[in-house]
Amino acid sequence: NQVYYYIKPNSDGARYFKINSQTGEISTKAVFDREAKGAYALEVEARDGAPSARPNSGGQPNSVTKYIRIGIADKNDNPPYFDKHLYEAEVDENEDIQHTVLTVTANDKDESSRIRYEITRGNFGGAFAVKNMTGAIYVAGQLDYETRKRYELRLVASDNLNENYTTIVIHVNDVNDNPPVFDRPTYETQITEEDDRMLPKRVLQVTATDGDKDREHNIVYFLTGQGIDPDQPDQSKFDINRTTGEIYVLKPLDRDEPSGRPQWRFTVFAQDDGGNGLVGYADVQVNLKDINDNAPLFPQGIYYGNVTENGTQGMMVMTMTAVDYDDVEEGTNAKLKYSIEKNVIDENTGTPIF
């Protein structure tokens, strides 16, 4: 008895499948899109070829129906896609290497696809990298706000056959990572010793700048070293305007020995963030110009010399040496001339003996 096969016309997939009525082979009538519909249910009927002998069959053949589920196998025919065309994030310029900035993931309608990620554009200096399986973008190189404050990366997602991309904009935040820098490493000036006019008197001005471009610098200056007494400021010889960098001499200074000095050396510091940030420094040297304020002096109160009674005229008796603490290089301040102020007179001739 021949069996014939039919698809019930009201079946879910009746429009998309057909069946060979004699062999029961089911074949397709359309091209399928798994992402639109992943499975179909067919109601298939099998009939024999002769009227049924069963009671109440009404002369119809014997038949049976069965539901068949047909699943649509996945094919990699869809590219990955991102939820947005643009993602933005921020990162501090001093952030640690391997720090994750953000994670961007793509989706794929093909359920069997495995997505991999790659940065293909805009990654200057290799500043960032992406974990190719997760889409986590992390810091991979040194960031510097003063060099580059914005990166526009192209992130590509690929499923080995198809790919898509999105744009990642990363803003680098400025942090205080540059100390103030003076316009020269050493400042040198000269003032006249013992000058007590118009004190305190400005002797020079120092200037420091901060490499952190877009921050409020608020640089504060202060001194340390020779002539600076932080514990007893009234004993200090120098001071500085903390805002302008102008250095002042506060007292008359003695250049000469035994208690003076020809030079004063100290250090000027510049600190940003109002005195709470990073510090830069420079050396300051103040030279004292000599004035003729020291009289020559003989180190000894009394000098003794001897001469034989038959000594001849012009013979050397002794040498007198005086000391002058003024600067020998400054004019004639310490160039000495010697003379005998009180001499012994020869009673016979009335002329000086020495």
Side-chain angles (χ1 to χ4, degrees):
N1 193 359
Q2 178 68 41
V3 177
Y4 299 92
Y5 302 92
Y6 306 91
I7 294 176
K8 291 283 192 176
N10 294 328
S11 292
D12 182 28
R15 295 168 48 198
Y16 303 100
F17 299 92
K18 58 184 178 180
I19 191 168
N20 186 306
S21 62
Q22 295 186 12
T23 65
E25 292 179 345
I26 298 174
S27 57
T28 62
K29 298 195 298 183
V31 176
F32 296 90
D33 183 0
R34 190 203 65 83
E35 288 69 40
K37 191 173 180 65
Y40 294 87
L42 296 181
E43 187 179 6
V44 176
E45 181 184 14
R47 304 176 193 166
D48 57 21
S52 174
R54 292 178 178 180
N56 302 318
S57 63
Q60 296 297 317
N62 293 316
S63 65
V64 64
T65 60
K66 191 73 174 178
Y67 280 96
I68 300 173
R69 183 185 183 277
I70 299 177
I72 308 301
D74 190 22
K75 178 182 178 183
N76 189 4
D77 60 347
N78 289 279
Y81 65 92
F82 293 93
D83 291 333
K84 298 190 292 186
H85 295 295
L86 175 66
Y87 295 82
E88 293 192 68
E90 296 181 355
V91 62
D92 290 341
E93 62 175 323
N94 64 345
E95 194 57 80
D96 294 335
I97 302 296
Q98 297 290 329
H99 170 78
T100 298
V101 180
L102 79 163
T103 298
V104 177
T105 55
N107 299 302
D108 196 321
K109 293 180 179 179
D110 300 316
E111 62 182 16
S112 61
S113 295
R114 299 185 65 182
I115 299 174
R116 293 180 176 271
Y117 301 90
E118 181 183 8
I119 297 173
T120 63
R121 185 180 299 178
N123 193 18
F124 297 101
F128 300 96
V130 63
K131 294 183 179 179
N132 61 4
M133 297 299 293
T134 66
I137 298 173
Y138 60 92
V139 177
Q142 184 65 45
L143 303 176
D144 184 15
Y145 175 88
E146 286 68 38
T147 302
R148 183 176 295 277
K149 61 184 71 174
R150 181 178 183 273
Y151 290 83
E152 186 171 320
L153 311 177
R154 173 173 284 191
L155 181 66
V156 172
S158 171
D159 61 9
N160 293 325
L161 183 62
N162 307 291
E163 66 180 34
N164 211 334
Y165 70 89
T166 189
T167 300
I168 313 291
V169 173
I170 299 177
H171 302 277
V172 179
N173 295 327
D174 188 25
V175 298
N176 188 14
D177 62 342
N178 289 285
V181 177
F182 286 91
D183 56 8
R184 66 191 76 171
T186 301
Y187 294 85
E188 186 172 357
T189 189
Q190 185 180 65
I191 61 175
T192 302
E193 67 164 330
E194 302 292 2
D195 189 355
D196 59 359
R197 297 169 298 173
M198 301 176 62
L199 294 176
K201 181 184 294 183
R202 179 183 182 275
V203 296
L204 66 102
Q205 184 173 13
V206 298
T207 303
T209 55
D210 198 317
D212 295 311
K213 297 177 182 177
D214 295 337
R215 294 175 60 87
E216 184 178 355
H217 298 158
N218 196 13
I219 293 175
V220 172
Y221 299 93
F222 58 96
L223 303 177
T224 184
Q226 294 177 352
I228 315 299
D229 191 339
D231 297 325
Q232 294 179 290
D234 59 325
Q235 299 300 314
S236 291
K237 307 296 191 297
F238 300 93
D239 197 8
I240 190 169
N241 185 309
R242 290 169 60 86
T243 303
T244 66
E246 294 174 298
I247 296 176
Y248 294 87
V249 61
L250 305 178
K251 304 175 183 297
L253 301 179
D254 182 16
R255 179 197 177 281
D256 310 314
E257 295 180 7
S259 58
R261 64 171 71 223
Q263 295 173 335
W264 292 83
R265 293 186 176 93
F266 48 89
T267 302
V268 56
F269 291 93
Q271 189 170 22
D272 56 20
D273 277 0
N276 298 307
L278 302 179
V279 177
Y281 69 91
D283 295 320
V284 179
Q285 178 174 307
V286 178
N287 302 316
L288 296 185
K289 179 180 174 61
D290 186 45
I291 62 172
N292 193 10
D293 60 342
N294 291 281
L297 60 89
F298 290 102
Q300 299 174 220
I302 299 176
Y303 289 81
Y304 295 94
N306 295 298
V307 61
T308 59
E309 61 178 339
N310 60 348
T312 60
Q313 183 178 359
M315 69 178 296
M316 178 71 69
V317 177
M318 61 189 301
T319 300
M320 300 292 295
T321 302
V323 175
D324 192 322
Y325 290 128
D326 289 321
D327 187 2
V328 296
E329 302 296 331
E330 188 64 42
T332 59
N333 289 357
K335 289 182 170 53
L336 305 183
K337 295 182 179 181
Y338 296 87
S339 63
I340 298 176
E341 294 296 315
K342 186 177 180 179
N343 210 330
V344 180
I345 304 300
D346 189 323
E347 296 179 352
N348 297 322
T349 63
T351 59
I353 295 178
F354 300 101

